[in-house]
């Protein structure tokens, strides 16, 4: 159950501060930019030599992106995708936090739901796509349900771990001073679990995007996923790359935003760890 | 007279004097029983509900169980399972073979790190399932496209995990080894690799889950072979009991591989666990 969280920490650590070893550090930006320019130049050179159907090249993709933006096609598709993403993701967070909280707070609920959560979490989301299509048809609803199914478990599991691992001393002290269950929930457990919830949300961002794409590939013929499929079917490789790049940029932006929130929420947590 | 016989030991006295546990706490003492009961209740509820509604919408556990033997006997299930497992093993093996050395190089040599880290992070952020239509264009509809998507989804978590593991190896360890005259090959084999293994396995576990999602999506998209093809076929023919069979198999594959890697992690890096307990 903790696999996503453990590996998420690993991925997060890779972006941590650099080691203190002098020499190459001063050239970091130069090497990075140089490498990026080299790859783009090689792509441009090679892409112009091979058939356009197989591999487009950066300037052609940029031109296609401009045309698609001006015609309004790209913004419309992006908004459609974003709407389903937001609806499904919010639903996933709401249900994940609520159920994860109950599981972390009450042992019987933990034991009752734990096997089911494990079973559903290990089922690849894409495997139940045909079933969801059978149940929810081909419209917007099915996209929202898919995003929900892809995002609810990382949030749920991280909230659960966060609430479960809160030191019993905190709760006991609150109780000794006469805190009600409601006060314990909102003044002790909630704040303590928030950073874990944020971690779960960060891990779910990538899955949410995969969910939207999967939904748009097969069901609702709309949004960025449909743009990808249509461009692929038309062998229009320039246009194929545009939504892919937009999705990548959107994914990075969304992850960074959640990371910023996470860092704010976890600030006291880090200082506590350093003090302990 | 009237005095109860004294408790045999201090423990017994403490147990006697302790407040009676609430009902919830007493229930919580039998996690295994509760978990089993919960799962059984879920299956029972599904069975009852499933028999009540249209079999096209929702099948039920015994019907799904009955669907297994004919699919096995016709050779359909084994064939498509192999057509999924083969490319999966190939693509994942390739991802391991490329990802671990690349991650080690990036963690160990700064110029390599700076040359590659932007690209790796950018590609890691790109939803790789969005590349499936392009990969179909490049590799056709056969097994190669599955190998490609499994490789692409698995390789980046592996690179990033190995990379962060290698760069977090304590300089004390490497400097001590160097001070005692360790050759670079010894340094890699005896210090860097063992210290990085727990991270690598964490990356592999993350990679497994994503690779299965990617592979299934590619099979749904191409609809030519594999468990994903079976999903499409049974969904289109409204054979919902059979539709659940590949779902169960894919879930078992994901859970089995993840659990197996967790077991490997505990075997290969037991100090990681003990370290955590001491900390």
């Amino acid at each position: 159950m903790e696999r996503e969280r453990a590996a998420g920490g690993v991925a997060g650590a890779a972006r941590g501060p650099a080691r203190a070893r002098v020499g190459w550090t001063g050239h970091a930006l130069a090497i990075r930019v140089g490498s990026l320019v080299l790859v783009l130049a090689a792509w441009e050179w090679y892409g112009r030599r091979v058939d356009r159907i197989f591999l487009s090249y950066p300037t052609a993709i940029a031109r296609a992106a401009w045309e698609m933006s001006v015609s309004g096609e790209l913004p419309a598709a992006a908004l459609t995708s974003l709407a389903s993403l937001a609806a499904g993701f919010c639903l996933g967070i709401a249900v994940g936090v609520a159920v994860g909280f109950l599981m972390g707070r009450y042992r019987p609920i933990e034991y009752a739901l734990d096997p089911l959560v494990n079973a559903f979490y290990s089922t690849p989301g894409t495997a139940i796509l045909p079933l969801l299509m059978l149940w929810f048809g081909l419209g917007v609803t099915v996209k929202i349900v898919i995003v929900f199914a892809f995002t609810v478990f990382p949030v749920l599991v991280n909230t659960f771990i966060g609430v479960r691992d809160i030191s019993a001393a905190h709760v006991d002290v609150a109780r000794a001073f006469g805190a009600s269950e409601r006060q314990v929930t909102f003044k002790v457990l909630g704040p303590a679990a928030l950073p874990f919830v944020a971690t779960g949300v960060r891990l779910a961002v990538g899955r949410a995007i995969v969910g939207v794409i999967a939904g748009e590939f097969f069901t609702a013929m709309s949004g960025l996923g449909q743009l990808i499929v249509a461009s692929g079917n038309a062998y229009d490789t320039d246009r194929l790359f545009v939504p892919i790049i937009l999705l990548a940029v959107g994914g990075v932006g969304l992850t960074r935003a959640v990371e910023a929130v996470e860092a704010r929420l976890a600030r006291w947590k880090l200082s506590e760890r350093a003090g302990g | 007279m009237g005095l109860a016989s004294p408790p045999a030991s201090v423990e017994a006295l403490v147990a006697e004097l302790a407040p009676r546990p609430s009902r919830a706490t007493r229930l919580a003492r039998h996690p295994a029983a509760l978990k089993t009961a919960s799962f059984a209740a879920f299956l029972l509820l599904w069975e009852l509900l499933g028999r009540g509604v249209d079999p096209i919408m929702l099948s039920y556990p015994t019907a799904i169980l009955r669907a297994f033997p004919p699919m096995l006997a016709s050779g359909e299930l084994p064939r498509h399972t192999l057509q999924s497992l083969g490319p999966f093993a190939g693509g994942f093996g390739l991802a391991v073979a490329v990802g671990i050395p690349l991650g080690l190089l990036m963690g160990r040599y700064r110029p390599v790190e700076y040359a590659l880290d932007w690209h790796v992070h950018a590609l890691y952020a790109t939803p790789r399932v969005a590349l499936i239509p392009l990969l179909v264009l490049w590799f056709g509809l056969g097994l190669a496209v599955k190998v490609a998507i499994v490789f692409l989804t698995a390789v980046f978590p592996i690179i990033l995990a190995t990379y962060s593991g290698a760069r977090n190896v304590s300089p004390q360890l490497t400097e001590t080894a160097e001070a005692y005259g360790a050759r670079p090959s010894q340094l890699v084999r005896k210090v860097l690799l063992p210290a990085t293994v727990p991270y690598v396995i964490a990356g592999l576990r993350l990679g497994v889950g994503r690779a299965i999602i990617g592979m299934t999506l590619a099979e749904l998209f191409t609809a030519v072979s594999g468990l994903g093809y079976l999903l499409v076929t049974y969904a289109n023919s409204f054979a919902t009991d059979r539709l659940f069979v590949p779902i169960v198999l894919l879930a078992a594959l994901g859970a089995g591989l993840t659990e197996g890697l967790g077991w490997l992690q505990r075997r290969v890096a037991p100090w990681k666990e003990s370290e955590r307990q001491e900390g």
Side-chain angles (χ1 to χ4, degrees), chain B residues 10-53:
Chain B
V10 181
E11 284 80 22
L13 181 69
V14 169
E16 200 167 284
L17 292 177
R20 283 192 58 75
S22 71
R23 234 181 117 235
T25 332
R26 264 181 287 143
L27 266 176
R29 280 200 193 142
H30 308 285
L34 255 181
K35 285 180 183 180
T36 316
S38 150
F39 203 67
F42 171 74
L43 287 180
L44 194 71
L45 201 69
W46 184 5
E47 180 83 29
L48 291 176
L49 194 74
R51 279 173 185 271
V53 302

Side-chain angles (χ1 to χ4, degrees), chain B residues 10-189:
Chain B
V10 181
E11 284 80 22
L13 181 69
V14 169
E16 200 167 284
L17 292 177
R20 283 192 58 75
S22 71
R23 234 181 117 235
T25 332
R26 264 181 287 143
L27 266 176
R29 280 200 193 142
H30 308 285
L34 255 181
K35 285 180 183 180
T36 316
S38 150
F39 203 67
F42 171 74
L43 287 180
L44 194 71
L45 201 69
W46 184 5
E47 180 83 29
L48 291 176
L49 194 74
R51 279 173 185 271
V53 302
D54 191 331
I56 288 177
M57 292 309 277
L58 180 71
S59 196
Y60 43 93
T62 48
I64 296 164
L65 221 55
R66 259 204 312 276
F68 251 107
M71 288 169 74
L72 274 178
S74 69
E76 180 181 40
L77 193 61
R79 191 172 70 244
H80 286 287
T81 307
L82 280 180
Q83 277 170 350
S84 284
L85 285 181
F88 184 83
F92 203 75
L94 208 61
V96 170
V98 172
I100 293 178
L102 213 56
L104 283 178
L105 283 175
M106 283 177 69
R108 190 76 192 129
Y109 299 107
R110 302 223 122 185
V112 182
E113 176 184 350
Y114 295 142
L116 294 180
D117 67 348
W118 278 8
H119 303 291
V120 170
H121 278 127
L123 288 169
Y124 182 69
T126 306
R128 275 139 288 155
V129 296
L131 297 172
I132 290 174
L134 185 68
L135 294 174
V136 169
L137 221 54
W138 287 351
F139 296 105
L141 297 170
L143 299 183
V145 70
K146 290 195 241 175
V147 175
I149 194 71
V150 169
F151 171 76
L152 281 176
T153 41
V155 74
F156 294 104
I158 297 175
I159 293 178
L160 279 173
T162 312
Y163 160 48
S164 78
R167 63 183 280 170
N168 285 331
V169 172
S170 154
Q172 275 182 354
L173 294 178
T174 52
E175 279 164 19
T176 308
E178 274 166 358
Y180 279 96
R183 288 189 303 275
S185 67
Q186 285 177 314
L187 191 70
V188 168
R189 247 193 359 234

